[in-house]
Each structure stands twice: as C-alpha cells, then as structure tokens.
C-alpha cells in the first residue's frame, strides 16, 4: 500500500471515531497502534486476502440475513461499510443493535448478521480489513417488503341498490416491490379492473390501487368478491373480501284462497314479500279505502259480489320504498243490475230501444220477453223493436240467469202513442123497466181528448140528457165511459149505440146493442125443459126425410133415362134466385178534420 492511501485510511478512521464519539486521545492511541502495526506487517511482507466475500442477497423484511466476510490468519480490525458509512470498529456494533459480527475471530471470520431485516437495511455493504488494507466487493442487500393487508373500501359488506352498477376499490400499500392485485369470484379471476401505483417518500415502497366495475346484471346478492395482493415478498399473497348486499324495495306476491268461492264465504289473502332491508309495514285497502283491521301478512274476510270487480290491495314498505299489488276474487254470485232499463213512450211507427245490463259470475245469459209470451225477443243487452204498433205496447221483461247460482229480472213498460182502441162487448144486457148501463172500454195513449155516445139523433159526451147519463172514469188499464139509461123501454132494445173516442192521433168507434136480459133467460129455460122429446122428434124427421130423398132420386134417375131414350134429350132451363143481404153501416173513423170539428 502506498503511503498516501494509508494516510487517507487513517484520516477516514479518525473521522469515523469522531462520529462514534470517541475521545481524541483514545482515537490517537488507536490510530497510532494501527499505524505501527500496519508498518510492521508491511515491513514483514505478509499479504492477506478474502476467502469469503459478501454476495448480493434478497431477504424478506423481518427475516434474518448474514453477509459473509472471512480473511484467513487476519486478526486485525474489520470494518463493515453500509452505503459508504462505517457501522463500527471490529466486532463492536453497539450503535446498531440489530447487527452482529459473528464467526470465529481467530479464523478471520467477520460475518455481518442482520437479526431482522428492515427496509432501512436495503443497501450496499462492504467488508474492509483495515490493517491488511483490503476491501471486499460491494454486495447488494435487497429487502423485500410485503404489502399491508389489502383493504376494499366500504367493506366488509357493500350495500347496493338493485339495478345500480357496482364499483369496488381495493388498495395494497407499503410494498416493495409494488404489489399486484387480482379480483376473484368463486375462485375465478374477474377481468377488466384498472390499476394505479404511487411511489412513497422513501423512494422504495409503493402503494397500488385497483378499481373493479361490475354491471347490475353481473352482481348477485350475497356474493363474495375477493381482492388478493401479491409481490415477491409474499408470493401466496394477502387477500380480503366483501359481501355484496343488494337492497331493493319489497318484491310482493299476493294470493287468494280458496278460489272460486260462493258469495258470503270466507277467503284468505296472503301477502308474501321479499325485501332488503326488512319490511317495515303492511297496509291493506279495498277500492282505495284503507282496511284498518288488517295489518300483517294475512287478511281474512267474508266476500260479496263487490270483491269480483273491486280489487283488494296489499302495500308493503321498507326503507327503500313501497310495492303495491292488488287482486280480485273469483266470487260466484247471482245477477246484479248495473244499468236499469227504462220504460218508454214512443209514437206509433217509431223504434223502441230498451237497454238492460247485468253482471254475474260465472257468465250470465240475458233474455228479453214480452210479459205473458214465451217468445224470446233478444239475448243481448239491448232490445230493439222496429216500427212499433199499438199491439206492441205492454210489459217487457229483461231476465238474467247465472247457471246454478241465481236469476234476476226487471220489468219495463212500452207505451205507444196512437189512436184510441175501443174493446167493449158488442152486445150488452139490461132488464126491461129497470136502469141499464152500456160500457165502453177505451185504451188510448195519449188519453182520449173526447168521448161521445150517439144513438138515433142524439149525441152526449158527458152529463145527463133526459133518461140518459154519461160518466167517464180512468183506470190503470184505460178509460171506461158508461152510458146509463133509466127506465128502459122496448125501443131501447132496438136502438144501435155508437161509442166514439178521439185523441191527437185519430179516433175509434164501437157499435153496441142492448139486449133484454129477461127474454133470453126464458127462452133458455124452455129449451132446457123440451130438450129430450124434441131430440127424438128431430131424429125421426131426419130419418124419414133421408128415406124420401133416396126414393125420389131413384125415380128421377129412372125417368131421365127413359126420356133420353125416347127424345134424344133437350136443353134444360136453369133459374137463378136473388139473395138479399141486410147490411149494417158502421160509423166510419173520424178524420183529423172531423176530430177537430166534433160530432154534429
């Protein structure tokens, strides 16, 4: 070694002694001894060399590591240098308690043992033999630092509203080298994550952040997702996981049992719900009206026909919202009227339309008929009568039938505006010498404006004239006009009586005869007394007549045959009698002009 190199070494050692806080006097003694020994060995010509030198090593933080340094037969001082700074003189490393110089000193072993490697031990090391003036090759000690336990933000349970995407962020900090992050689900890697790294202030460690995006359709409730961080310090990695908690408003199912059901029986509504978070309230309603007596999952009630068309609703609520579901009940019930048919007043020749609507369950059948007739006029809700006549007037029935459940009907009246219709007995009876009455029954819509009786030269509408009095009364069926004759004489039985009624649509007339009531009874009694002998007489006479006719026919045939043979025949003479028919001229119907003018 050249002199200037030795001087430089002594100066460096002096400065290192000052750094260790040694007294100047002690330092000078050490330096003097070292210089003296160095010159002695150099003058003796002894040369030293390393049999073991420190090698580049990699160690995981927290583990021990040993850097080798061996110089055979060298018993002088050895100095360990870390990144250019001396750790201590010889085997005294008291300033660094985690460092030890181990090995057999007499054999020249001066190994540096780090009891528990830390990040600050990541450096370049040299072993120097001061008296021998030699130094080892630089050795790089690389300290690997595993990442901190990974953390998923928001864990360990991530709450997510149904239908929303999922964003997960996992970070692994303070690793050397930087950690790698993978995401796992059911043991399989989830691709598509993004990453970012950050170098820390010490310039050696790094932190990494990974973000994973999952669409709503790729997430299941209760699913576990793992974030695993690895680097060279911990190949097996560290991991953490989160559980996905998908929250949603209640999912409701509403059932009704039993169905179908007859009216006035009990049914049970069951409202089952799945909700996250849990259900906080059940609320029941019918046709928008709250059912105060129902509050839980089950509602029991006796149903009527309204439950067929008016649904029962169940509203279930949790912290995220409410879900409302409604159901009607398949109730079997008899016909219920929904549209009442209305009686009609129509003019003659017009159309009449009736409407009648029912509801029933199961499906019902509608039948329209005229009261007193078995003829079905319609099976629809509407009955249409075209160009009505006066005989169409009357009562009509709309009947609805629900098979095996029930039936119902409504009656309406059709009134037809038209000329009066007189329906009276054409022969009426009275007693001679007594008071007699002749009645005229008139159906008329609108009611008759005038009713007149006429006989011979007489016309009477109301009041009394001589032996005659006219009275008119109204009934539900029509109008009855009565002609009363006091002290009936024989001539009254020979008189023709005319009853005429008018309204704005026309008129009608009826001819009525009066017959003596006593004479009819007498003739009837005589016939009854003589009925048996008269029958015998008639029988005998008929038999004789038949025999006579047969005899005469035989004689005539014989004579004709004989005459034709003798004369050859001649044209016959035919005669024709006249027949006289007695006709009774009935009063004709009054015209509009006659109606306005009245009887003369």
């Amino acid at each position: 070694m050249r002199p200037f190199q030795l001087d430089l070494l002594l100066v460096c050692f002096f400065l290192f002694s000052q750094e260790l806080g040694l007294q100047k006097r002690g330092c000078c003694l050490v330096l003097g001894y070292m210089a003296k020994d160095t010159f002695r060995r150099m003058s003796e010509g002894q040369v030293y060399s390393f049999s073991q030198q420190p090698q580049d090593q990699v160690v995981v933080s927290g583990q021990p590591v040993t850097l080798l340094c061996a110089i055979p037969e060298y018993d002088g001082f050895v100095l360990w240098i870390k990144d250019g700074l001396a750790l201590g003189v010889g085997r005294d490393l008291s300033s660094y308690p985690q460092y030890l110089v181990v090995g057999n000193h007499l054999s020249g072993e001066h190994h540096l043992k780090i009891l528990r490697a830390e990040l600050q031990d990541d450096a370049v090391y040299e072993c120097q033999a001061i008296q021998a003036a030699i130094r080892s090759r630089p050795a790089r000690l690389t300290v690997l630092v595993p990442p901190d336990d990974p953390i998923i933000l928001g864990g360990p349970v991530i709450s997510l509203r149904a239908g929303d995407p999922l964003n997960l962020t996992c970070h692994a900090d303070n690793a050397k080298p930087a950690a790698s992050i993978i995401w796992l689900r059911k043991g399989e890697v989830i691709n598509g994550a993004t990453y970012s790294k950050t170098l820390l202030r010490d310039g050696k460690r790094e932190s990494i952040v990974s973000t994973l995006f999952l669409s709503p359709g790729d997430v299941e409730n209760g699913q576990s997702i793992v974030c695993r961080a690895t680097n060279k310090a911990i190949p097996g990695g560290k991991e953490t996981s989160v559980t996905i908690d998908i929250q949603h408003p209640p999912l409701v199912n509403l059932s009704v049992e039993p169905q179908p059901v007859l009216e006035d029986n009990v049914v049970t509504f069951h409202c089952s719900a799945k909700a996250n978070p849990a259900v906080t309230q059940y609320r029941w309603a019918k046709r928008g009206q709250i059912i105060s007596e129902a509050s839980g999952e089950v509602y029991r009630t006796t149903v009527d026909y309204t439950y067929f068309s008016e649904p029962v609703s169940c509203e279930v609520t949790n912290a995220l919202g409410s879900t409302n579901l409604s159901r009607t009940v398949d109730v079997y019930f008899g016909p219920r009227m929904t549209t009442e048919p209305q009686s009609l007043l129509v003019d003659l020749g017009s159309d009449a339309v009736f409407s009648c609507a029912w509801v029933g369950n199961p499906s019902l059948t509608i039948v329209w008929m005229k009261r007193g007739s078995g003829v079905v006029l319609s099976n629809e809700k509407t009955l249409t009568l075209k160009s009505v006549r006066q005989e169409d007037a009357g009562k009509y029935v709309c009947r609805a039938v629900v098979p095996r459940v029930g039936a119902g009907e409504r009656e309406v009246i059709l009134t037809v505006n038209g000329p009066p219709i007189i329906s009276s007995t054409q022969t009426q009876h009275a007693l001679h010498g007594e008071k007699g009455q002749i009645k005229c029954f008139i159906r008329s819509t609108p009611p008759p404006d005038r009713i007149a009786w006429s006989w011979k030269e007489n016309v009477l509408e109301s009041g009394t004239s001589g032996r005659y009095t006219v009275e008119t009364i109204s009934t539900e069926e029509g109008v009855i006009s009565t002609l009363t004759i006091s002290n009936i004489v024989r001539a009254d039985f020979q008189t023709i009586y005319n009853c005429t009624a008018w309204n704005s649509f026309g008129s009608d007339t009826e001819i009525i005869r009066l017959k003596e009531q006593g004479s009819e009874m007498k003739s009837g009694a005589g016939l009854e007394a003589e009925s048996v002998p008269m029958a015998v007489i008639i029988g005998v006479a008929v038999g004789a007549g038949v025999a006579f006719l047969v005899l005469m026919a035989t004689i005539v045939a014989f004579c004709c045959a004989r005459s034709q043979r003798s004369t050859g025949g001649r044209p016959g003479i035919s005669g024709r009698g006249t027949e006289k028919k007695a006709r009774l001229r009935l009063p004709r119907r009054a015209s509009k002009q006659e109606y306005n003018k009245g009887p003369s």
Side-chain angles (χ1 to χ4, degrees), residues 16 20 22 77-80 86-96 99-101:
F16 175 70
L20 293 177
L22 299 177
F77 288 100
V78 172
L79 185 67
W80 277 96
L87 298 178
V89 178
R91 306 178 81 88
D92 181 14
L93 302 179
S94 57
S95 296
Y96 299 92
Y99 295 158
L100 294 177
V101 176

Side-chain angles (χ1 to χ4, degrees), residues 134-160:
I134 59 176
R135 61 195 302 177
S136 69
R137 61 174 294 278
R140 180 72 182 181
L141 178 62
T142 301
V143 179
L144 303 179
V145 181
D148 296 342
D149 291 339
I151 296 174
I152 300 177
L153 299 181
V157 177
I158 301 294
S159 295
L160 180 69

Side-chain angles (χ1 to χ4, degrees), residues 152 160 164-168 181-193 212-228 239-246:
I152 300 177
L160 180 69
D164 290 347
L166 176 64
N167 282 292
L168 294 176
I181 289 179
I182 60 172
W183 294 90
L184 301 167
R185 177 172 54 194
K186 295 179 181 179
E188 296 182 358
V189 176
I190 305 173
N191 297 316
L212 177 66
F213 176 84
L214 295 176
S215 63
D218 199 24
V219 182
E220 297 178 5
N221 186 49
Q223 198 172 63
S224 179
I225 296 180
V226 175
C227 171
R228 179 182 294 169
E239 64 183 35
T240 187
S241 65
V242 292
T243 300
I244 306 304
D245 178 36
I246 299 180

Side-chain angles (χ1 to χ4, degrees), residues 39-53:
F39 282 113
R40 179 181 62 81
R41 291 180 183 275
M42 291 177 63
S43 62
E44 293 177 355
Q46 187 174 358
V47 178
Y48 299 96
S49 64
F50 291 97
S51 61
Q52 289 180 315
Q53 294 190 61

Side-chain angles (χ1 to χ4, degrees), residues 351-398:
D351 293 343
V353 180
F354 293 102
S355 293
C356 172
W358 299 82
V359 62
N361 189 43
S363 298
L364 51 78
T365 300
I366 294 178
V367 176
W368 279 98
M369 294 185 297
K370 189 175 183 181
R371 180 71 78 186
S373 169
V375 178
V376 175
L377 302 175
S378 175
N379 290 116
E380 304 295 332
K381 295 179 180 179
T382 301
L383 170 63
T384 302
L385 301 176
K386 296 285 189 180
S387 302
V388 297
R389 300 169 297 175
Q390 286 181 292
E391 52 265 35
D392 293 328
K395 296 179 180 179
Y396 290 82
V397 176
C398 176

Side-chain angles (χ1 to χ4, degrees), residues 173-484:
D173 301 326
N174 304 316
K176 180 179 179 294
S180 297
I181 289 179
I182 60 172
W183 294 90
L184 301 167
R185 177 172 54 194
K186 295 179 181 179
E188 296 182 358
V189 176
I190 305 173
N191 297 316
T194 59
Y195 304 90
S196 63
K197 296 179 181 179
T198 302
L199 183 64
L200 303 184
R201 290 184 178 181
D202 57 25
K204 296 181 178 181
R205 293 174 300 164
E206 293 181 275
S207 294
I208 185 171
V209 176
S210 177
T211 300
L212 177 66
F213 176 84
L214 295 176
S215 63
D218 199 24
V219 182
E220 297 178 5
N221 186 49
Q223 198 172 63
S224 179
I225 296 180
V226 175
C227 171
R228 179 182 294 169
T230 60
N231 71 353
K232 293 179 180 180
I234 184 168
K238 295 181 179 181
E239 64 183 35
T240 187
S241 65
V242 292
T243 300
I244 306 304
D245 178 36
I246 299 180
Q247 298 186 341
H248 54 81
L251 304 175
V252 180
N253 179 50
L254 180 59
S255 61
V256 186
E257 294 293 339
Q259 286 201 96
V261 61
L262 286 174
E263 191 175 20
D264 298 325
N265 280 273
V266 176
V267 300
T268 300
F269 292 87
H270 188 265
C271 185
S272 59
K274 294 181 179 180
N276 186 22
V279 173
T280 58
Q281 182 185 32
Y282 289 89
R283 189 169 67 170
W284 295 87
K286 179 174 180 283
R287 199 178 61 179
Q289 301 296 319
I290 301 299
I291 304 173
S292 58
E293 63 269 23
S295 59
E297 296 182 18
V298 177
Y299 170 53
R300 292 183 177 86
T301 187
T302 300
V303 295
D304 58 18
Y305 74 97
T306 61
Y307 285 79
F308 180 73
S309 57
E310 298 175 4
V312 172
S313 65
C314 173
E315 183 181 81
V316 186
T317 303
N318 70 354
L320 293 184
S322 299
T323 302
N324 191 302
L325 199 62
S326 61
R327 288 283 183 272
T328 55
V329 183
D330 190 12
V331 182
Y332 281 4
F333 61 95
R336 299 273 178 171
M337 178 67 69
T338 58
T339 301
E340 287 278 354
Q342 302 297 319
S343 295
L344 295 177
L345 173 64
V346 298
D347 291 341
L348 182 68
S350 300
D351 293 343
V353 180
F354 293 102
S355 293
C356 172
W358 299 82
V359 62
N361 189 43
S363 298
L364 51 78
T365 300
I366 294 178
V367 176
W368 279 98
M369 294 185 297
K370 189 175 183 181
R371 180 71 78 186
S373 169
V375 178
V376 175
L377 302 175
S378 175
N379 290 116
E380 304 295 332
K381 295 179 180 179
T382 301
L383 170 63
T384 302
L385 301 176
K386 296 285 189 180
S387 302
V388 297
R389 300 169 297 175
Q390 286 181 292
E391 52 265 35
D392 293 328
K395 296 179 180 179
Y396 290 82
V397 176
C398 176
R399 180 176 175 82
V401 178
V402 177
R404 300 183 300 277
V405 177
E409 65 178 38
R410 288 292 190 277
E411 184 180 85
V412 290
I413 298 175
L414 174 61
T415 304
V416 180
N417 287 325
I421 298 176
I422 299 176
S423 56
S424 294
T425 304
Q426 293 181 345
T427 301
Q428 301 184 25
H429 299 84
L431 291 173
H432 179 264
E434 301 291 335
K435 179 189 293 185
Q437 288 185 336
I438 305 174
K439 294 184 180 292
C440 180
F441 180 71
I442 306 159
R443 289 185 177 89
S444 177
T445 304
D449 300 317
R450 296 174 57 196
I451 301 173
W453 287 90
S454 61
W455 66 98
K456 297 181 180 179
E457 303 299 327
N458 302 306
V459 176
L460 184 61
E461 294 186 17
S462 62
T464 301
S465 175
R467 294 185 303 119
Y468 303 95
T469 300
V470 174
E471 293 178 327
T472 301
I473 61 173
S474 298
T475 66
E476 291 183 359
E477 290 77 17
V479 176
I480 300 176
S481 180
T482 304
L483 175 63
T484 302

